[in-house]
Amino acid sequence: MAVFDKNEKTNSSPSLDMRTADQMLQNVFDVCGVESNTIPLEVLSSYSNYRRERFALQKILLILMMVLFALLPILFIPPSYSVDLAAKSSVDQEYGISVDSFLPVSYVTASLNGQNVPVYHTGEKDYAVIPDQNGLLEIKVALINRQYITREVAITGIDTEHPAVTTHAVAEGKVFLYVTDEDSGVDYEGIYALTLTGEELRPDYDEVHGYFSFDYPEDSLNIYVPDHAGNQLHLILSPTASDK
């Protein structure tokens, strides 16, 4: 009794070894009275496989070329970004850099008056630069496709000057110094003096009228007057006989 497997494929093709197939081909040539084939069947079969593999390789190369051609415009897309004054004060200015591109950012650099300055990463594609002096800020943004754009921003309004003494007076055993600072303003709480022995003295001051005072010293004083931007004026107060 024959047993049939229902999962067995009924359309499977019978296979012949190469020698049997070559003999059958020769018999066909003899019956038809045609000159026998001079090229062995094995060589013909190998050549057919070679053509099939070569065609597949050409197809793959063609697909890759089409993909590269489709991606070609992306390789030349430059970055787009904006530079805005995010925060402005008498102490510092923060310039925000926002990159608008679907391509990843490769790097962001900045230089102020030819000197490199730090660039802070504040978001996915947001950066910040805090210049410490006035001048020309050059910002360069590059994408992963090596396309970049350089933009220049003029930096103004940063306080780089220390306070200045406008006048002074001696009265009632005290010396009064009037100071001014046009940008960030005088930091009266930070004013101090050092005696020759290293003792630190703090003055009385009046911000409304713009002055501070020390008791008239017996010896020289080194007086330090800062502003709110970190600039500092250094004065040397030396007593004279005519002022006492």
Side-chain angles (χ1 to χ4, degrees):
M1 179 178 179
V3 179
F4 298 94
D5 186 357
K6 64 179 180 179
N7 296 323
E8 182 180 359
K9 295 182 179 179
T10 59
N11 60 345
S12 59
S13 301
S15 59
L16 294 176
D17 59 90
M18 194 60 62
R19 178 177 298 181
T20 303
D22 185 60
Q23 184 61 46
M24 292 180 62
L25 180 62
Q26 294 298 329
N27 293 338
V28 172
F29 285 151
D30 292 341
V31 171
C32 296
V34 179
E35 183 179 356
S36 299
N37 187 20
T38 57
I39 302 176
L41 183 61
E42 185 176 359
V43 175
L44 292 175
S45 178
S46 300
Y47 180 73
S48 177
N49 293 334
Y50 165 75
R51 289 293 301 271
R52 188 181 300 109
E53 293 174 358
R54 184 178 179 184
F55 175 76
L57 179 60
Q58 291 175 344
K59 186 177 180 180
I60 293 174
L61 291 177
L62 181 61
I63 293 175
L64 290 177
M65 291 179 62
M66 293 177 65
V67 171
L68 289 176
F69 183 77
L71 295 177
L72 189 61
I74 298 178
L75 300 179
F76 298 97
I77 295 178
S80 175
Y81 64 94
S82 59
V83 181
D84 299 304
L85 186 56
K88 182 176 181 180
S89 68
S90 59
V91 178
D92 57 39
Q93 295 182 359
E94 179 179 312
Y95 286 82
I97 306 168
S98 180
V99 182
D100 182 15
S101 175
F102 66 92
L103 292 176
V105 178
S106 178
Y107 61 85
V108 178
T109 61
S111 62
L112 181 58
N113 299 326
Q115 300 294 324
N116 292 333
V117 295
V119 178
Y120 304 96
H121 196 182
T122 59
E124 182 178 359
K125 291 185 178 179
D126 296 322
Y127 304 83
V129 177
I130 304 177
D132 57 359
Q133 58 181 298
N134 298 315
L136 193 62
L137 178 65
E138 185 178 275
I139 301 172
K140 181 178 180 180
V141 176
L143 300 179
I144 196 172
N145 61 354
R146 296 188 178 183
Q147 299 297 309
Y148 65 88
I149 285 183
T150 301
R151 185 174 299 172
E152 294 180 344
V153 179
I155 306 299
T156 59
I158 295 179
D159 184 6
T160 59
E161 299 294 331
H162 56 65
V165 175
T166 57
T167 186
H168 70 279
V170 177
E172 301 177 354
K174 289 181 174 290
V175 56
F176 296 84
L177 295 172
Y178 290 80
V179 290
T180 183
D181 188 277
E182 296 294 335
D183 297 318
S184 61
V186 178
D187 180 11
Y188 288 91
E189 291 185 0
I191 300 174
Y192 68 97
L194 293 178
T195 65
L196 296 180
T197 60
E199 181 185 0
E200 182 177 308
L201 304 176
R202 292 287 176 171
D204 296 324
Y205 59 86
D206 186 337
E207 292 190 42
V208 176
H209 296 92
Y211 71 83
F212 64 92
S213 64
F214 286 98
D215 291 335
Y216 199 90
E218 296 292 333
D219 296 312
S220 296
L221 285 180
N222 285 283
I223 301 175
Y224 299 91
V225 184
D227 63 12
H228 291 286
N231 305 302
Q232 185 171 255
L233 171 66
H234 179 204
L235 300 172
I236 298 178
L237 179 61
S238 298
T240 61
S242 58
D243 289 333
K244 292 183 179 181

